[in-house]
Amino acid sequence: MSKVVCIYPQDATTDFLQPLCDHICATFNAEEVGYETSGDNDPEEIIFNKIKDAKTIFFLGHGTSKGLYARLNEIILFNKDNISLLKDKQLFLLACNSDQFINTYKLSEAIGFGFLPTSLYDARHVRKLHSMRIEHLKEDDINIYNTALVDALINTLSETTMTDSHLFAERLKFSTCDKIVKILLQRGTPNYRIVADALYNFYKDMIIS
C-alpha cells in the first residue's frame, strides 16, 4: 500500500478534528504527524521528512491562499519556498482557503475548501461568509457546525472515494445535506439557519483539481 501521511498540527482551534484524524489513520493506514515542539528535533523537518515518500497527504490545519500553517506562532509549513514538497502527491487539504492555495500553486490531484468558520475568532474576524453575516454566531453554533463538518467528512472519506473524485463530491454533498436537514428540523440554536447555510457553503466551495 502506498504511504499515506496525515499532518495534524493540533491546537485549541483544531481539537475538534481529532475524530477525523483517527478515521483517516484507521481507514488509510495513515501515519499521523503533528507539530511537536517539546523535544529537541525540528518539528518542520520531521514533517518534511515524513512526506518525502508519501503518495497521499491529508492536512488538517490552517491556511491562506499562499500558505498552510500551524496556528502555533503562525508558523508557515508550506508556501512558495517549499511547495515542491507537495507536487505530484494526492492532497486533501482541510484548511481555510485551501481552494485558493491549490489554485495559487496549480496543484493537481488536490481537494480543497473555502473559508471554514470553525471558531469564534473566525466568525468575529471575517464577519461575512459570502453574503451571510456570521459575526453573531455563538459557541454552540460553532460546535454544531464543527460536529456536522467532521461527521460529513467521516461519512465521505474512504479508499473508494479517494480514487473517484466524482463519487467523493457526490457523497460529501449527500452527507452534508443530511446534516443540514437535521439542523433545520431541530432548530437547536437561534442561529440554526446561519449554521445550515455555512455548511452549504462548506461543500459548495470545495474544489477538486
Side-chain angles (χ1 to χ4, degrees), residues 30 40 43 64 69 83-84 88 94 100 105 122 124 128 151 156 166 182:
D40 295 330
T64 67
Y69 59 96
I83 194 63
S84 60
D88 302 318
L94 185 64
Q100 298 175 31
Y105 298 112
D122 292 333
R124 303 292 184 270
K128 290 184 71 174
D151 287 348
T156 299
H166 176 74
K182 290 177 180 177

Side-chain angles (χ1 to χ4, degrees), residues 12-183:
T13 66
T14 61
D15 283 345
F16 74 97
L17 294 173
Q18 185 65 61
L20 178 60
C21 180
D22 293 342
H23 173 77
I24 290 169
C25 291
T27 302
F28 302 96
N29 194 28
E31 179 179 0
E32 178 186 348
V33 55
Y35 194 89
E36 179 57 59
T37 59
S38 60
D40 295 330
N41 295 321
D42 183 344
E44 294 175 49
E45 195 63 29
I46 291 173
I47 292 174
F48 299 156
N49 286 333
K50 292 287 187 183
I51 68 172
K52 279 182 179 178
D53 58 345
K55 167 60 178 173
T56 302
I57 298 172
F58 290 86
F59 180 84
L60 313 179
H62 306 283
T64 67
S65 62
K66 296 183 179 180
L68 300 178
Y69 59 96
R71 174 61 57 87
L72 182 65
N73 298 324
E74 303 293 327
I75 295 172
I76 298 289
L77 297 179
F78 301 101
N79 62 10
K80 62 181 177 61
D81 296 327
N82 62 4
I83 194 63
S84 60
L85 292 171
L86 300 181
K87 295 286 188 178
D88 302 318
K89 299 182 186 296
Q90 183 181 31
L91 304 172
F92 176 90
L93 308 178
L94 185 64
C96 282
N97 304 314
S98 54
D99 58 340
Q100 298 175 31
F101 178 82
I102 289 168
N103 287 330
T104 296
Y105 298 112
K106 298 178 173 59
L107 298 172
S108 59
E109 273 198 278
I111 297 172
F113 300 88
F115 178 72
L116 306 171
T118 58
S119 71
L120 288 176
Y121 173 83
D122 292 333
R124 303 292 184 270
H125 180 70
V126 174
R127 301 174 66 86
K128 290 184 71 174
L129 177 58
H130 295 288
S131 61
M132 180 175 57
R133 302 296 294 266
I134 61 173
E135 73 266 33
H136 299 303
L137 288 175
K138 308 297 184 184
E139 186 171 356
D140 286 348
D141 304 319
I142 298 295
N143 290 338
I144 291 172
Y145 174 86
N146 288 350
T147 298
L149 181 151
V150 168
D151 287 348
L153 285 171
I154 287 175
N155 290 336
T156 299
L157 281 167
S158 69
E159 289 189 1
T160 302
T161 57
M162 284 300 286
T163 58
D164 185 334
S165 59
H166 176 74
L167 179 61
F168 179 92
E170 288 302 307
R171 191 163 295 175
L172 182 61
K173 179 179 179 180
F174 175 84
S175 297
T176 307
C177 285
D178 178 64
K179 299 299 177 184
I180 290 172
V181 170
K182 290 177 180 177
I183 288 170

